Amino acid sequence: MTTTHEYIQEAEATRVRILSEALPYIQQLSGKTVVVKYGGAAMKDSHLKDKVIRDVVLMSCVGIRPVVVHGGGPEINAWLDKLGIEPQFKNGLRVTDAPTMDVVEMVLVGRVNKELVALINQAGGKAVGLCGKDANLIKARPADHEGIGFVGEVTSVDTRILESLVSSGYIPVVSSVAADNTGQAYNINADTVAGEIAAALGAEKLILLTDTAGILRDYKDLSTLIPKLDIQEARKLIETGVVSGGMIPKVNCCVRSLAQGVRAAHIIDGRLPHSLLLEIFTDSGIGSMIVASEFMA
């Protein structure tokens, strides 16, 4: 029978092993930019939210330069409901008329963003909240879909404000609202914003926190997780239908960022506590990592 003393010794040994295993990854990533797209269950569950926030602060403390990009779909829906506005979707995109756009901006920029900033600061980080409008960080244009209102695409990213913040030790927290040249606000998919920011910054990693284990050969079987693949394999999985539904835009977002110079893109399960640290600081990782072909070795 295991005694309490033996259990404590085993737990401490495990902690030391994990720290030792993390060292080469910390050395490799120190001084590098990592863009984290935060959303899904990890944003709704307060227990998971605390873990994600601590992971981001720890990354900053060991010399990594995290940039957090977030959406906030469930909270937008909750506020639309309070205001008596019916949420509408078309081809997976939120139909964003003028009243809905007002709610989207209020919720993402005013509530969700500032809550995340406060939580990071409480955990010992130094966070600064931004949206695409700030310092012309992101310029938008209407998305190429009819009947969806003020849903936007990214036309350009001016990274100077982000570079200034991360070089001074701050953690930028970016909400996915931006404006066009006339000042009209647009709601942009947060995965897309994260990918474009990662590409513009020349980030070492783009990490998408999702509600799936990663890329699965059989979406019903977790044992079919693909831990590592290259751009060509990712595109083939979309063509053959292995990657389907809501995973297609996420994989395309990763592929696009890799094609623009990001070293690795990760799709990981944000429902697992400390999934960020498990993915980037352990040998096995927990999700799917997509890399350019030259980094497959």
Side-chain angles (χ1 to χ4, degrees):
M1 185 175 171
T2 304
T3 66
T4 302
H5 179 67
E6 287 172 335
Y7 176 79
I8 292 170
Q9 279 189 319
E10 188 177 322
E12 292 297 330
T14 301
R15 188 172 299 150
V16 169
R17 180 184 59 77
I18 291 169
L19 282 170
S20 178
E21 195 173 298
L23 178 59
Y25 296 102
I26 292 171
Q27 290 171 323
Q28 176 194 339
L29 291 171
S30 183
K32 304 286 177 60
T33 301
V34 174
V35 176
V36 178
K37 188 272 176 167
Y38 179 35
M43 186 175 270
K44 290 179 278 185
D45 183 317
S46 59
H47 177 70
L48 288 171
K49 186 181 287 186
D50 177 64
K51 299 292 187 290
V52 173
I53 297 302
R54 288 175 65 87
D55 288 0
V56 169
V57 172
L58 189 148
M59 288 164 65
S60 180
C61 287
V62 298
I64 299 169
R65 297 175 165 191
V67 175
V68 178
V69 177
H70 69 86
E75 189 149 355
I76 291 169
N77 288 342
W79 277 90
L80 287 172
D81 185 56
K82 287 178 186 178
L83 296 168
I85 301 171
E86 183 74 28
Q88 296 179 53
F89 294 87
K90 186 175 180 180
N91 299 326
L93 297 169
R94 181 185 297 278
V95 176
T96 309
D97 57 13
T100 301
M101 187 63 234
D102 286 343
V103 175
V104 167
E105 188 161 10
M106 175 187 77
V107 172
L108 292 188
V109 181
R111 279 186 64 85
V112 177
N113 187 272
K114 296 312 170 201
E115 181 196 8
L116 295 178
V117 165
L119 288 171
I120 290 171
N121 291 342
Q122 286 168 19
K126 295 192 299 179
V128 175
L130 301 165
C131 75
K133 291 181 176 182
D134 292 303
N136 287 324
L137 169 58
I138 299 164
K139 282 291 185 185
R141 68 177 172 218
D144 188 21
H145 298 275
E146 284 188 21
I148 55 171
F150 299 110
V151 175
E153 295 176 347
V154 176
T155 59
S156 64
V157 179
D158 184 340
T159 60
R160 286 177 291 179
I161 183 69
L162 296 178
E163 289 164 348
S164 177
L165 288 169
V166 296
S167 65
S168 300
Y170 293 99
I171 301 170
V173 181
V174 183
S175 62
S176 55
V177 171
D180 63 15
N181 289 328
T182 70
Q184 172 61 53
Y186 285 88
N187 177 24
I188 306 177
N189 178 278
D191 291 334
T192 301
V193 170
E196 294 299 318
I197 285 177
L201 286 170
E204 185 74 10
K205 291 182 181 293
L206 165 67
I207 303 175
L208 305 183
L209 285 171
T210 68
D211 289 346
T212 61
I215 300 172
L216 305 171
R217 292 199 182 277
D218 176 355
Y219 74 95
K220 296 176 183 175
D221 185 355
L222 292 178
S223 69
T224 65
L225 176 73
I226 305 170
K228 189 173 184 181
L229 63 162
D230 65 15
I231 289 175
Q232 286 72 24
E233 288 177 83
R235 286 176 173 149
K236 196 169 183 180
L237 291 173
I238 293 174
E239 289 168 12
T240 57
V242 173
V243 169
S244 60
M247 282 296 283
I248 292 176
K250 293 185 185 300
V251 173
N252 277 333
C253 162
C254 292
V255 167
R256 182 174 164 80
S257 68
L258 292 166
Q260 296 179 83
V262 175
R263 290 286 294 259
H266 304 250
I267 298 175
I268 68 172
D269 193 342
R271 298 169 300 182
L272 296 176
H274 298 300
S275 55
L276 269 175
L277 300 187
L278 287 166
E279 177 66 11
I280 64 174
F281 288 155
T282 65
D283 292 338
S284 56
I286 61 156
S288 297
M289 178 170 72
I290 311 173
V291 296
S293 299
E294 60 265 31
F295 301 122
M296 273 301 283

